[in-house]
Each structure stands twice: as structure tokens, then as C-alpha cells.
Amino acid sequence: GNEVSLLSGALIDATGTRGGGEVLVGGDYLGSNPHVRNANLTYMDADAAINASAIQEGDGGKVIVWADDTAIVAGSHNIAARGGAEGGNGGFIETSGKRYLAIGGAASASDPNGRCAHSDCQQHTDQRFHHHGSTRRRDERYDQHRHRWCARR
């Protein structure tokens, strides 16, 4: 839809014994997959969680939280795509808002030894941030109950 929300208590579990799955919330990588409809607004509550980790062995999966306009990912610290306990690489996590992005903390995409999926840990694992400039004013706030931006009171 135009707006996608993962509210408090929501859990998306794409874990697998031999490898993590794929979770696309609001779109695919950089919103560039023509076969996946993109949301304008994506909201993930601080108490929501997404897990695409490998359980036993294998690589962690892929998690994308995308919005063409605004992504509020307060629960980013509850996103995981870890490698399996007996071996495997960490997966891939992207949290992006094309115009505005707010996040709540670092996600986890490491392997059992704490290594990243790629040699460049900072860029490729915990999160990719694609923030193309905020058009929100300082006197606005995001109302999670109405799922939209409002003037501050």
C-alpha cells in the first residue's frame, strides 16, 4: 500500500535452519525493483521486530525497510539477519527513506564470530542509510497513532 506500518508487538520471522529468508517492507533495495510496489511512508515501531537469520548454518537473509518518501524505523535495533550458529555469513539489511529517514539504533547482520558479511563492515552490514535530505520542519513530529506528520503542539 501507500503506507506500511509494523506496529508494537509485530514480528516478522523469516529465520531458517540452513539460511535466512527475505523480508521486504515498503519496497526492495533502493526502491528499484519494478516487481515490488513501493510505499511512500513506512513506519516500524520500536517494539516491532524482523528476523531473517540463519539458525543452524548458512548465511543470514535479506531485510529491506524502504519508503519512497519517509521511513521511520524506530525498531531498527530489532532487525536481524545473522549467520548460522555453526557457520555462515551475516546477511544484508537496508533501512532507507528516499527523502527522510529516522532510525532507532543499529541492526545486526554479523556471523557467529561477530564478523560482517563483507569486508567493509560499516557500509555493508549493520545498515545502509540513504538519506536524501529532509523536507520536514523542526516544528513537525511523526504521530504514530495517525501514521502521519503533524505540527508540534
Side-chain angles (χ1 to χ4, degrees), residues 48-87:
I50 302 170
N51 192 351
S53 299
I55 297 170
Q56 186 175 347
E57 61 185 357
D59 296 342
K62 171 183 169 182
V63 177
I64 307 291
V65 181
W66 168 265
D68 279 346
D69 186 74
T70 300
I72 307 294
V73 192
S76 56
H77 59 284
N78 292 328
I79 300 174
R82 297 181 193 97
E86 296 176 11

Side-chain angles (χ1 to χ4, degrees), residues 1-5 24-27 36-42 66-68:
N2 197 35
E3 297 180 4
V4 177
S5 296
L24 307 177
V25 179
V36 176
R37 184 175 175 190
N38 293 342
N40 277 334
L41 171 67
T42 300
W66 168 265
D68 279 346

Side-chain angles (χ1 to χ4, degrees), residues 92 115-128:
F92 180 81
R115 293 183 303 242
C116 298
H118 303 281
S119 59
D120 186 355
C121 295
Q122 187 71 17
Q123 183 177 7
H124 292 288
T125 58
D126 283 345
Q127 291 169 307
R128 280 194 171 188

